[in-house]
Amino acid sequence: MELSLEILSLLFLVAGLAGFIDAIAGGGGLLTVPALLAAGVPPTQALATNKLQGAFGSFSASLYFVRNGLVSLKEMRNAIVCTFTGSALGAELVQRVGAGVLTNLIPMLLVGISLYFLLAPQVGKGGGTPKISDNVFALSVGTCVGFYDGFFGPGAGSLFTVCFVAIAQLGLVEATAKTKILNFTSNFAALLFFIFAGLPVWEIGLVMAVGGFIGARLGAKVVVTKGRKLIRPMVVIISMIMAVKLLLEQNPQWLQ
């Protein structure tokens, strides 16, 4: 595809903003996928190109969190392996079956996540006793949410975060940092399958990747400096926006 410099510049800026939001609360695809579609990228290629730029953004945030000591990759190795496997299976399966069931289910899950963070003021402070072991968490949450991210995607970051908070009893900052590690893992696994299928539009994806990398780096810094007081409302707002967007896509008559 050939796009003007103006369109590429706008996509760069959109990716930067999406990377910033995604590093804090997830949901960056709410901006990037519609922008790609508006630029004339076919839907399947738009999803693949979004995974390309999203992988760079999640890598940028992950790198910042690792360098600042919020995450130990050694401690997360089982969760990384399970998430990669789940995402790869999801990316393979979505090419064979539709995602209709998930499109109906995920808005309700996102509303539930929003209400959980909104109505439980003490949530996300951390320090509690984990409800399951790290290995069981890796096998259950890592595999299942990774599968969902490879198969469908919207809200995967919010699902990871709420599981780290509610099940692993982590504080919101640490939960967000670990979420980005697994987000990058699932993005990378799904991206490999899209590359093998020849779907990403590289010229667009790499331009957006630079913007996403910069935006995510800035967002990760905000997570470290502002912490729970910013992450909690952002997760609530972004999850509700994603839920409303998905519901409107399923029920366009509501807008008439």
Side-chain angles (χ1 to χ4, degrees):
M1 293 183 63
E2 292 187 8
L3 297 178
S4 67
L5 180 60
E6 290 79 7
I7 296 297
L8 286 174
S9 298
L10 285 173
L11 290 174
F12 172 86
L13 294 174
V14 168
L17 179 59
F20 180 83
I21 293 172
D22 209 46
I24 301 172
L30 285 172
L31 299 176
T32 51
V33 172
L36 285 163
L37 294 172
V41 182
T44 304
Q45 287 184 286
L47 293 174
T49 304
N50 184 59
K51 282 295 183 187
L52 171 60
Q53 68 86 26
F56 277 80
S58 55
F59 173 76
S60 175
S62 298
L63 183 62
Y64 185 85
F65 291 136
V66 170
R67 285 181 171 177
N68 280 270
L70 272 72
V71 180
S72 168
L73 294 180
K74 184 178 180 180
E75 293 177 359
M76 292 193 67
R77 61 182 181 275
N78 290 339
I80 290 170
V81 170
C82 290
T83 300
F84 185 96
T85 303
S87 181
L89 291 172
E92 177 64 20
L93 187 62
V94 76
Q95 301 179 51
R96 305 175 187 277
V97 299
V101 174
L102 287 177
T103 59
N104 295 322
L105 176 62
I106 195 61
M108 299 302 102
L109 287 177
L110 290 169
V111 170
I113 290 171
S114 298
L115 293 175
Y116 174 72
F117 282 105
L118 185 64
L119 301 178
Q122 301 303 313
V123 75
K125 288 190 174 182
T129 302
K131 297 183 179 180
I132 57 177
S133 69
D134 289 345
N135 288 337
V136 174
F137 185 95
L139 186 61
S140 56
V141 175
T143 303
C144 292
V145 180
F147 177 86
Y148 166 74
D149 197 21
F151 187 80
F152 189 52
S158 299
L159 292 174
F160 273 130
T161 300
V162 77
C163 288
F164 275 121
V165 170
I167 299 174
Q169 296 291 296
L170 299 182
L172 263 175
V173 173
E174 186 179 0
T176 301
K178 290 190 172 184
T179 289
K180 294 322 297 179
I181 299 294
L182 299 187
N183 265 159
F184 169 69
T185 301
S186 59
N187 281 341
F188 182 71
L191 176 60
L192 288 178
F193 277 79
F194 288 135
I195 291 174
F196 293 150
L199 292 173
V201 182
W202 288 94
E203 296 85 348
I204 299 174
L206 291 177
V207 168
M208 296 182 73
V210 176
F213 189 95
I214 296 170
R217 169 65 173 73
L218 296 173
K221 185 175 181 180
V222 169
V223 168
V224 173
T225 57
K226 301 296 183 181
R228 181 177 178 273
K229 64 182 181 181
L230 176 64
I231 300 171
R232 185 166 170 266
M234 282 287 287
V235 170
V236 172
I237 293 169
I238 296 299
S239 295
M240 288 299 295
I241 290 174
M242 281 191 286
V244 170
K245 178 179 182 293
L246 290 170
L247 285 170
L248 290 177
E249 287 175 348
Q250 297 166 27
N251 303 277
Q253 69 274 13
W254 292 359
L255 297 175
Q256 297 176 358

